[in-house]
Amino acid sequence: MNAVIGKERNAAVRQNRKEKWKKRFLGSAEKRGWIGSFVVYALLIVISFIFVYPVLYMISRSLMSRSDLLDSSAMWIPSSITLHNYESAILTMDYWNSLLKNLYLAVVPTVAQVLICSAVGYGFARYNFPGKKIWMGVLILAFLLPSQTTALPNYLIFQNLRMIDGTIKPFLITSILGQGFKSTLCILIFYNFHKQTPQSLIEAAEIDGAGHIKAYFRIALPLATAAIVVVTLFSFVWYWNETYLVRNYLGYGTTRATGLTTLMLELNAFEDSYASAYTTWASSVTSSDRINDAIRMAGTVLAIAPLMIFYFVLQKQFVESVDRAGITGE
Amino acid sequence: MSKKQRNPHDKRRLTKRMVREWGWGYLFVAPWIVGVSIFFLRSMVQSLQFAFNRVELSNGVILHPLENGIFENFVKVFTTDVNFPMILANFGIGLVLQLPVIISFSLIIALLLNSKIRCRGLFRLIFFLPVIIATGPVMNQLSAQGVSSVPMVSQNALLGVLQGLPEFIYEPINNLFSSLIMILWNSGIQILIFLAGLQKVPRAMYEAAKIDGASAWETFWKITLPSVKSLILLNSIYTVVTLATGGSNEIIELIYTATYTATQGYSYAMAMSWIYTAVVAVILIIVFLLLKEKSDRKVVYEQKRVVMKGV
């Protein structure tokens, strides 16, 4: 009798254990099983690799010496790390000089853009005024149409004003008037965000005697910190990366010797500046001085390095802000 | 101010207050209105004028009417540059092929990032990286190195099958695979938008579904997907706009060079850019019509949203 009970109990225990393992592998309603976790992490790691691969490639290539480039066994890890490529790239791009010019050209319009777009977004979100629908329509239209159609007439405006002289003027004027690079998107982000700010909060402040300006600066703006972080980062990135409009506003003939420049423009012209730079450095150009992939990659790394630093510094705020920024356009 | 409202002349006071509101509204929006009038509306009109006239540059811009019909510049674009229609078609097909890849991919990543995982911060850091560095010159440098395609994936088998297709279909598909990384790199902001949307779906809804015995699969189709459906449309439009205005675009380069080429000039370049704008607009309209929610479902969806907001 006892034996039978024992057998039954054993069977029950075994069954129980089986269930437990099955649960661990396949998961249950409450918890993902091992297989599920495996799939999720495998996907994440594979996709992460796809995303990071070009960056890793860039960095590893840029540290390779000439012999490593030709050696197929040194596909990934350089046999000896050399900073020679960076020296060449720095000379080619006139790096420190160009970097300063680029920072000036990116930071100033970014600040103007954030300030103006926030105010405009607030104006659309908070107030009702006649013609608002029409202006919102224009806003959407400006967002959708490719800016290439207006780029040439805008260029002519600045040319008539004699402002295409390699200075910051066209960038500053457009960003102050809410027409900077992708300003429309910034305005839409701020619009969505300010829309979420409870109207009652602002009205309460106004009842307490705060004026419209004060209500904006004291209440709406501090509540929009998340949007400010997102827009600042994006604007900086856009100003840093844009080449077509930058070339337009700086003027076709402007070089880094005569006016402002950006690292992306320098990267575009890398090949030519390397060739001309080398003929002036060395009286005889030997084949070993010719440009190679490692030098090009070093130039690319240098061009995006400031963005990476900026991103890593701001990333915590950025990732948190994204959660709250409501850039979902609802 | 609120005390003053409660007097007999309530109505008049209210309108006065409203006028003041209008004034403040316009004050906040004023810089943008000035800017958009000068740099967008006026420039749009001018570029249209350029496209339909002959432009002469001498101490300013002089417009001459066209001799050979009003569409002369547009005809010229198609007749002089043999490659333009081909490039335009390739761009259009490429865009249509890239769109579903980017959208589904960014949705998958957003779903993964939204699930309970470890090292979430690290993964997010990686997935937002393309937002920072996915840019024209960098992309050009990278694709010149052949980094734009995934190294391990053998494309040969697939491409062998595709080789049988006509050139104009084969080309874009080939491009799609050979620059898969670059395409995926374009999905940074889309991931952000989906993620923000997913986080707004209330937990209570998933819990209720679980109690009712819904599987994860059903939950995805019945709750998650409908919640982000409006975002799919938004993301698609955003994707088309960024791809169409991005700096690594061949047509933009063509327009730019045409502007400063003596034989082609402003009129030619503007005609070209209006053709391009029309193509982009058509693609946008198609995307919009395909993805917009049907009216009866929209009502249900709106109701659901109201309920969700209530939660």
Side-chain angles (χ1 to χ4, degrees), chain A residues 244, chain B residues 81 83-85 87-88 249-261 264 268-269 272:
Chain A
Y244 174 83
Chain B
D81 193 346
N83 288 324
F84 185 69
I87 293 173
L88 200 61
N249 190 324
E250 218 174 331
I251 299 172
I252 291 172
E253 209 55 37
L254 267 181
I255 295 171
Y256 188 77
T257 39
T259 313
Y260 298 101
T261 311
Q264 297 175 320
Y268 185 90
M272 218 179 202

Side-chain angles (χ1 to χ4, degrees), chain A residues 68-81:
Chain A
D68 277 353
L69 281 180
L70 300 170
D71 187 359
S72 58
S73 64
M75 180 62 195
W76 274 99
I77 297 152
S79 63
S80 62
I81 287 174

Side-chain angles (χ1 to χ4, degrees), chain A:
Chain A
M1 196 64 187
N2 264 352
V4 173
I5 290 172
K7 241 181 210 169
E8 267 175 11
R9 192 183 290 151
N10 269 351
V13 165
R14 219 175 294 141
Q15 183 67 27
N16 208 352
R17 206 178 285 157
K18 218 171 157 189
E19 283 284 300
K20 213 166 108 191
W21 280 101
K22 200 180 157 195
K23 235 181 194 172
R24 278 199 186 160
F25 269 107
L26 295 175
S28 59
E30 295 85 39
K31 213 169 159 260
R32 198 167 46 215
W34 286 356
I35 293 178
S37 294
F38 178 75
V39 170
V40 166
Y41 283 106
L43 266 174
L44 276 172
I45 288 165
V46 167
I47 299 170
S48 306
F49 179 71
I50 293 178
F51 273 62
V52 183
Y53 168 68
V55 180
L56 292 180
Y57 180 91
M58 240 182 325
I59 294 169
S60 95
R61 272 281 136 137
S62 67
L63 293 171
M64 283 185 185
S65 63
R66 189 171 295 273
S67 54
D68 277 353
L69 281 180
L70 300 170
D71 187 359
S72 58
S73 64
M75 180 62 195
W76 274 99
I77 297 152
S79 63
S80 62
I81 287 174
T82 168
L83 291 175
H84 178 73
N85 302 314
Y86 282 95
E87 286 166 20
S88 306
I90 285 174
L91 280 172
T92 307
M93 296 162 92
D94 192 7
Y95 186 69
W96 301 113
N97 216 339
S98 306
L99 177 68
L100 277 182
K101 285 177 175 173
N102 197 357
L103 280 175
Y104 174 57
L105 204 57
V107 170
V108 176
T110 297
V111 172
Q113 170 141 305
V114 172
L115 290 175
I116 295 296
C117 290
S118 169
V120 174
Y122 180 75
F124 275 124
R126 158 84 173 80
Y127 297 102
N128 274 316
F129 47 87
K132 183 175 156 182
K133 282 224 167 99
I134 297 171
W135 289 116
M136 287 293 282
V138 173
L139 188 71
I140 304 283
L141 205 65
F143 172 63
L144 293 180
L145 292 181
S147 55
Q148 278 66 39
T149 21
T150 54
L152 177 60
N154 289 349
Y155 166 77
L156 289 175
I157 291 172
F158 287 115
Q159 206 195 27
N160 286 338
L161 294 169
R162 310 220 172 282
M163 283 184 183
I164 305 283
D165 50 1
T167 60
I168 203 170
K169 283 178 228 155
F171 298 88
L172 202 54
I173 290 172
T174 46
S175 57
I176 284 175
L177 293 177
Q179 301 298 311
F181 301 164
K182 303 211 187 183
S183 276
T184 324
L185 187 57
C186 301
I187 293 174
L188 286 172
I189 292 174
F190 274 118
Y191 170 76
N192 274 317
F193 201 88
H194 286 310
K195 203 127 208 175
Q196 291 169 358
T197 310
Q199 193 86 352
S200 53
L201 217 60
I202 291 163
E203 271 163 15
E206 279 167 8
I207 287 168
D208 286 348
H212 290 256
I213 303 268
K214 208 171 179 182
Y216 167 67
F217 279 109
R218 285 288 169 79
I219 292 171
L221 215 51
L223 283 173
T225 323
I228 292 173
V229 171
V230 170
V231 171
T232 307
L233 185 75
F234 280 177
S235 296
F236 183 75
V237 168
W238 288 326
Y239 270 96
W240 193 272
N241 285 338
E242 177 65 48
T243 48
Y244 174 83
L245 292 169
V246 168
R247 254 187 309 179
N248 238 354
Y249 285 161
L250 282 180
Y252 204 43
T254 307
T255 59
R256 66 173 178 233
T258 57
L260 293 174
T261 185
T262 71
L263 288 174
M264 287 300 151
L265 288 183
E266 293 302 320
L267 191 61
N268 258 348
F270 198 77
E271 213 101 327
D272 297 335
S273 11
Y274 185 85
S276 67
Y278 244 81
T279 43
T280 49
W281 298 331
S283 51
S284 64
V285 179
T286 55
S287 64
S288 67
D289 291 330
R290 221 173 276 143
I291 192 165
N292 60 39
D293 289 348
I295 301 176
R296 276 195 213 101
M297 284 297 106
T300 314
V301 170
L302 285 174
I304 56 172
L307 284 184
M308 301 283 262
I309 293 167
F310 190 54
Y311 178 58
F312 285 124
V313 169
L314 265 185
Q315 58 96 6
K316 194 159 174 276
Q317 284 87 337
F318 176 65
V319 170
E320 276 167 13
S321 298
V322 161
D323 290 349
R324 286 175 290 137
I327 50 172
T328 51
E330 277 171 29

Side-chain angles (χ1 to χ4, degrees), chain B residues 51-252:
Chain B
F52 285 104
N53 284 291
R54 192 164 60 81
V55 178
E56 192 193 308
L57 283 176
S58 60
N59 264 344
V61 182
I62 304 166
L63 297 172
H64 296 287
L66 293 166
E67 292 98 29
N68 311 323
I70 194 162
F71 289 108
E72 191 189 328
N73 290 321
F74 292 88
V75 174
K76 218 166 107 189
V77 169
F78 282 106
T79 48
T80 47
D81 193 346
V82 202
N83 288 324
F84 185 69
M86 187 71 190
I87 293 173
L88 200 61
N90 269 345
F91 164 79
I93 296 171
L95 195 61
V96 172
L97 284 177
Q98 288 180 23
L99 189 60
V101 176
I102 291 179
I103 296 298
S104 42
F105 190 79
S106 47
L107 183 57
I108 290 170
I109 292 184
L111 283 170
L112 288 176
L113 283 178
N114 198 41
S115 63
K116 275 179 238 148
I117 48 167
R118 262 168 230 186
C119 308
R120 210 157 129 175
L122 178 72
F123 281 121
R124 283 191 180 187
L125 192 70
I126 291 170
F127 288 132
F128 299 155
L129 202 63
V131 180
I132 312 299
I133 43 180
T135 144
V138 173
M139 296 265 220
N140 290 343
Q141 290 287 353
L142 286 174
S143 45
Q145 302 273 310
V147 201
S148 54
S149 61
V150 193
M152 292 79 74
V153 179
S154 135
Q155 310 162 3
N156 300 332
L158 185 70
L159 290 181
V161 178
L162 294 170
Q163 215 100 55
L165 293 168
E167 174 81 357
F168 71 96
I169 299 177
Y170 167 74
E171 244 329 281
I173 295 181
N174 187 20
N175 281 342
L176 185 76
F177 278 98
S178 60
S179 55
L180 198 60
I181 289 188
M182 298 292 126
I183 293 167
L184 297 186
W185 267 31
N186 273 318
S187 52
I189 294 194
Q190 287 82 336
I191 297 172
L192 288 183
I193 294 176
F194 274 135
L195 197 58
L198 285 174
Q199 279 167 351
K200 279 187 189 151
V201 183
R203 289 253 156 259
M205 244 164 123
Y206 288 112
E207 271 153 28
K210 210 185 276 170
I211 289 165
D212 287 349
S215 66
W217 182 250
E218 283 168 327
T219 317
F220 172 75
W221 288 101
K222 295 279 161 65
I223 297 175
T224 312
L225 206 58
S227 322
V228 295
K229 212 180 162 212
S230 64
L231 298 183
I232 293 178
L233 174 64
L234 182 84
N235 262 337
S236 305
I237 290 175
Y238 182 78
T239 309
V240 173
V241 169
T242 42
L243 289 180
T245 51
S248 55
N249 190 324
E250 218 174 331
I251 299 172
I252 291 172

Side-chain angles (χ1 to χ4, degrees), chain B residues 4-20:
Chain B
K4 276 181 197 164
Q5 269 173 41
R6 294 197 189 98
N7 62 28
H9 302 289
D10 208 4
K11 242 183 184 172
R12 245 186 71 208
R13 290 283 180 185
L14 201 69
T15 48
K16 210 172 181 181
R17 190 176 170 221
M18 268 165 71
V19 171
R20 203 177 288 160

